[in-house]
Amino acid sequence: MDSRFLGIHELVEVDVPSVAVVVDVMRAFTVAAWAFGQGAEKIVLAESLGEALALKARHPDWVAVKDGPPAPGFDTVNSPGLVRSIDLGGRTVVQKTTAGTVGALAVKEASLVLCASFVVAEATARLLRTRGCDGVTFVVTGEDGQADEDLACAQYIARRTTEVGTDAAEFLRRAGASRAAGELAEGVRQGVHPDDVALCLELDRFPFAMVAAVEDSLLVLRSCAVA
Ligand SMILES: O=C(O)[C@H](CS(=O)(=O)O)OP(=O)(O)O
Ligand SMILES: [Mg+2]
C-alpha cells in the first residue's frame, strides 16, 4: 500500500485522493468515536460555527459540539471525558472543531473518507485491508501536518494495514509526548476534562471504523462495523 501523509493545506496541491484517512487524535475523532460509543446515530461535520448553530436551530434535538470553551447554543465541548457521560442514544451530533472537521471537509470529494484516531486504529486498518486499498492519503490535521500525535497515529494505521503485528507502543509514546498532549494536560487548551489525554491514547477502545460521506449536501460521519 502506498501511503502519503499531508497537512490540510498541502491538499490543495494534489488531485482529489481516492482514499483518505483523516486523523485527529486530540481530540475531534476521539470525541466522535465516543459519541458513537454513547449511541449517536450520525455526526454532521459542520463547515463553521455559524452552520453548526443554524443546523441546531433547525433541528433542536441535535447535539451541537464545538472545540474550545463552552458557548451559547452549543450543548457540549470537544472533550472525550465529557462526551463519555452523555447519553446520545439515537441522536444526531453536529461537530465543529479547529482541525479534525476541517480536514474531513477538505477531502469530502474522495471516494472513501475515513476519520480516525487511536481509539479506532485497528478497525480503520482492517477496513483499509478488506477494501484492498493500494493508495491512501493520510490527512495529518494538527499543526499544518506537523502534529506528532496525528502523524504517529497515521503512521501506525498505515503500518498496521500491511503489517498486522506492528506494535503500537512507540507510536503511543510519541502521541503522549506531543505538544497537544502537553497543552491539554497543562490546561492551556479550553473545554478539557482531566481524563482527555488518557482517553485519546486508549488503543482500539472501539471496534468500529468511521466513514464520512456527503448526504443531502452535508458531510455525515457514521460508524461502520468491521468484520
Ligand atoms: O479540541 C481540540 O483539541 C482541538 C482544538 S484546540 O486546539 O483545543 O483549540 O480541535 P481538534 O480539531 O479536535 O484538533
Ligand atoms: Mg487535533
Side-chain angles (χ1 to χ4, degrees):
M1 186 182 84
D2 280 340
S3 300
R4 62 179 175 178
F5 303 87
L6 300 176
I8 295 172
H9 290 109
E10 292 173 290
L11 292 167
V12 295
E13 295 156 20
V14 300
D15 292 338
V16 174
S18 169
V19 179
V21 179
V22 188
V23 180
D24 192 341
V25 172
M26 297 182 189
R27 294 166 285 173
F29 299 142
T30 300
V31 167
W34 270 97
F36 289 124
Q38 292 299 106
E41 180 196 342
K42 64 180 190 290
I43 301 175
V44 176
L45 303 177
E47 300 263 3
S48 64
L49 293 173
E51 186 191 36
L53 288 173
L55 287 166
K56 170 79 183 177
R58 221 178 304 147
H59 307 278
D61 56 320
W62 286 15
V63 178
V65 177
K66 70 178 281 291
D67 61 1
F74 286 87
D75 298 285
T76 189
V77 291
N78 191 45
S79 159
L82 295 172
V83 168
R84 73 175 162 175
S85 55
I86 304 173
D87 178 2
L88 293 170
R91 307 285 294 276
T92 294
V93 171
V94 55
Q95 184 185 30
K96 167 72 180 89
T97 72
T98 305
T101 59
V102 175
L105 285 156
V107 290
K108 67 180 181 187
E109 310 293 343
S111 321
L112 176 63
V113 179
L114 304 180
C115 294
S117 60
F118 280 110
V119 296
V120 293
E122 172 55 21
T124 304
R126 209 175 323 140
L127 185 59
L128 293 172
R129 279 199 297 273
T130 55
R131 298 272 177 111
C133 302
D134 31 61
V136 177
T137 297
F138 287 87
V139 183
V140 177
T141 59
E143 300 171 30
D144 276 337
Q146 304 303 309
D148 207 33
E149 75 281 9
D150 296 334
L151 185 58
C153 183
Q155 290 171 336
Y156 174 67
I157 292 169
R159 281 270 298 277
R160 185 95 193 172
T161 302
T162 52
E163 298 170 42
V164 177
T166 301
D167 186 358
E170 174 58 16
F171 299 93
L172 288 167
R173 187 204 60 73
R174 282 169 51 195
S178 66
R179 185 207 303 233
E183 289 180 357
L184 287 165
E186 288 158 20
V188 174
R189 295 193 187 195
Q190 294 180 285
V192 179
H193 183 281
D195 293 345
D196 278 358
V197 172
L199 291 169
C200 290
L201 300 178
E202 203 178 3
L203 186 70
D204 300 331
R205 173 70 179 73
F206 299 105
F208 50 78
M210 300 189 292
V211 179
V214 176
E215 298 180 19
D216 297 329
S217 79
L218 296 174
L219 187 62
V220 175
L221 188 62
R222 293 181 184 272
S223 64
C224 173
V226 186

